Amino acid sequence: MRMGSFQLASRASVLVALIGIGGCQLSWWNDPPPPPGILGTPGPQPSPTAAPEQLRSEILSQLTSGPYATLFNARLINDGIGIFAITDTLPTKGVRRWGRDYQTPSNEDVLEVTASVSLKIGMPKLAKIVFERPLSGSWLGDFPWRKQLVKKPMQETLQRTALLEQDDSGHWAIRQISVAVQRSTVTSVDIYSVTLRSARSTNSIEYHKELQATDQLLAALPGEAIAVTVIANTASSSVYLYLGGNRRQILPYLGSDQRGARFSGQLIFPGGPPGPDQIGIDLVASSTLENPGSAYDATIWGVPVLRQGGEL
């Protein structure tokens, strides 16, 4: 009787463990550390959440050769001075033209150097990549009454996270991806959420900072109208959209509610090869745009989307 109870309890424990491994997608980095030998070799092991260097390089190599490589290698926005003219909605003494001047990045493989890789060896085999890189440069603003460009130094950090799964052939593919978040060192403005809806669908897709399944990203055809809603923490700011190079458009402010300040409008999905792309959401504090003596204060999101083949 005692032996039967022990066997039943053991089988129940194994079943719970298998359910925990197979059903967990986002929370398993908070699980208790696995026992020694998780990597299948005897003796001392590296940290159970840190990938050995050879496997780390293999995973990053497959990521950079895959369809989502541009979301990690390309600059989030391709900015420059003189690409935005003042409108009637901005203060009379506001900035007339502005842009960012980033320092030339080094030729090193930034993803290979700065990304961390964590592992979960189970069924399925999962890898979590956290890519982070520092950025620096100057924000340049043309304030008409100053008759000169005003420079504000920028120190920013760009971060994006991806969850990869290894298939039976050993290939790692992205299953979930986060928005890219680029924030200045001292930032008062923040984005809570971005909601996208294509003209062909009644369903909206809401993005937060958490990981999002790649099969749940917005998919659109070139030429299609996309409704965009941004919820920010303050109305004392302006929101701009980027998609395709340095084309930039302002997103109107429509009021605030319990969720935050709401900016909403639409963009036309640009042409290009089918595959992953991203929409740049640029939230800039009003003080940056209106006060030449204020510090640079902004947050940028890179929202991953999928461009479908063909045209609308």
Side-chain angles (χ1 to χ4, degrees):
M1 187 69 175
R2 293 179 181 176
M3 181 63 70
S5 300
F6 175 78
Q7 290 175 341
L8 182 61
S10 299
R11 291 173 182 173
S13 299
V14 171
L15 179 59
V16 170
L18 288 176
I19 293 174
I21 293 175
C24 185
Q25 288 293 313
L26 294 179
S27 63
W28 50 262
W29 267 271
N30 296 323
D31 291 347
I38 190 171
L39 299 178
T41 57
Q45 298 293 320
S47 169
T49 59
E53 187 58 35
Q54 182 176 356
L55 183 55
R56 175 181 178 274
S57 297
E58 174 189 324
I59 294 171
L60 292 178
S61 175
Q62 292 185 23
L63 171 62
T64 55
S65 61
Y68 287 89
T70 56
L71 300 189
F72 291 87
N73 295 334
R75 190 183 298 282
L76 182 55
I77 58 172
N78 183 21
D79 212 345
I81 188 64
I83 62 176
F84 180 75
I86 194 170
T87 68
D88 294 338
T89 61
L90 295 178
T92 304
K93 289 190 176 182
V95 65
R96 179 173 59 186
R97 296 174 299 169
W98 64 269
R100 297 176 179 86
D101 181 20
Y102 288 103
Q103 295 179 357
T104 304
S106 62
N107 294 326
E108 66 182 3
D109 187 336
V110 179
L111 181 62
E112 177 68 27
V113 172
T114 64
S116 64
V117 180
S118 303
L119 289 177
K120 171 78 170 185
I121 304 300
M123 294 301 292
K125 294 181 180 179
L126 303 174
K128 182 181 180 182
I129 291 179
V130 179
F131 168 63
E132 184 174 293
R133 66 174 297 190
L135 297 168
S136 61
S138 299
W139 182 91
L140 304 175
D142 176 14
F143 291 84
W145 75 95
R146 293 288 292 266
K147 296 182 179 180
Q148 65 180 24
L149 291 179
V150 174
K151 284 190 175 184
K152 300 182 181 185
M154 297 186 311
Q155 295 289 333
E156 298 177 318
T157 299
L158 170 64
Q159 186 178 86
R160 166 166 267 148
T161 304
L163 185 69
L164 291 83
E165 180 180 335
Q166 188 182 43
D167 60 24
D168 294 338
S169 65
H171 179 75
W172 293 90
I174 288 184
R175 293 291 180 259
Q176 298 177 6
I177 191 169
S178 74
V179 298
V181 179
Q182 184 171 315
R183 292 174 60 85
S184 55
T185 304
V186 179
T187 304
S188 67
V189 295
D190 196 12
I191 298 173
Y192 292 155
S193 68
V194 173
T195 302
L196 306 178
R197 181 174 57 82
S198 70
R200 295 179 297 140
S201 174
T202 58
N203 296 325
S204 298
I205 298 178
E206 188 168 328
Y207 294 78
H208 298 272
K209 292 179 182 177
E210 293 79 11
L211 287 163
Q212 186 126 354
T214 53
D215 60 1
Q216 295 178 1
L217 302 178
L218 175 86
L221 289 168
E224 186 172 353
I226 305 298
V228 183
T229 299
V230 177
I231 304 297
N233 68 329
T234 176
S236 298
S237 55
S238 295
V239 176
Y240 304 87
L241 301 178
Y242 298 80
L243 188 58
N246 59 5
R247 289 175 291 172
R248 175 168 55 185
Q249 67 183 70
I250 194 166
L251 201 62
Y253 169 66
L254 298 185
S256 299
D257 54 28
Q258 67 276 11
R259 297 184 62 192
R262 183 170 175 262
F263 301 82
S264 188
Q266 76 171 29
L267 60 83
I268 302 300
F269 208 81
D277 202 342
Q278 60 187 348
I279 298 175
I281 309 292
D282 193 353
L283 177 68
V284 186
S286 297
S287 58
T288 298
L289 301 172
E290 298 170 10
N291 182 2
S294 69
Y296 168 73
D297 187 353
T299 295
I300 307 171
W301 274 23
V303 179
V305 294
L306 299 175
R307 181 182 291 106
Q308 297 176 323
E311 293 185 3
L312 185 65

